Amino acid sequence: MNDTHPEVGDLVVAVATGTQWVCTDIAGAKTRRPVWLLRPRYGAAGREQLRVERDDLVSYAVAARRGEWIQP
């Protein structure tokens, strides 16, 4: 992974909508096709997670690294 890819615990923002998400896991992190699992920063904890493949990550920007932001 590099600095542009989110890591677990990072806060990311969807570029098109401005919605905030938290990276909760990276499925297949050591494979050629990892998938980032994101949950909404705000809202119900039981909401469905968003699965983002590497090719679609350009639509999400890392807003803050783990430990640099606080969950309200």
Side-chain angles (χ1 to χ4, degrees):
M1 306 298 157
N2 62 36
D3 289 338
T4 60
H5 293 142
E7 297 174 5
V8 174
D10 288 354
L11 179 67
V12 297
V13 177
V15 175
T17 63
T19 55
Q20 296 180 337
W21 299 84
V22 179
C23 180
T24 58
D25 194 12
I26 304 170
K30 295 183 180 182
T31 67
R32 293 182 183 178
R33 300 205 37 96
V35 175
W36 283 259
L37 301 176
L38 308 177
R39 68 161 175 81
R41 180 177 183 191
Y42 301 104
R47 284 183 54 183
E48 193 171 314
Q49 288 193 340
L50 185 63
R51 298 175 58 88
V52 180
E53 294 187 10
R54 181 187 300 259
D55 295 342
D56 297 326
L57 259 173
V58 295
S59 300
Y60 297 86
V62 176
R65 292 291 180 186
R66 180 181 185 171
E68 296 176 351
W69 66 277
I70 299 172
Q71 177 70 38

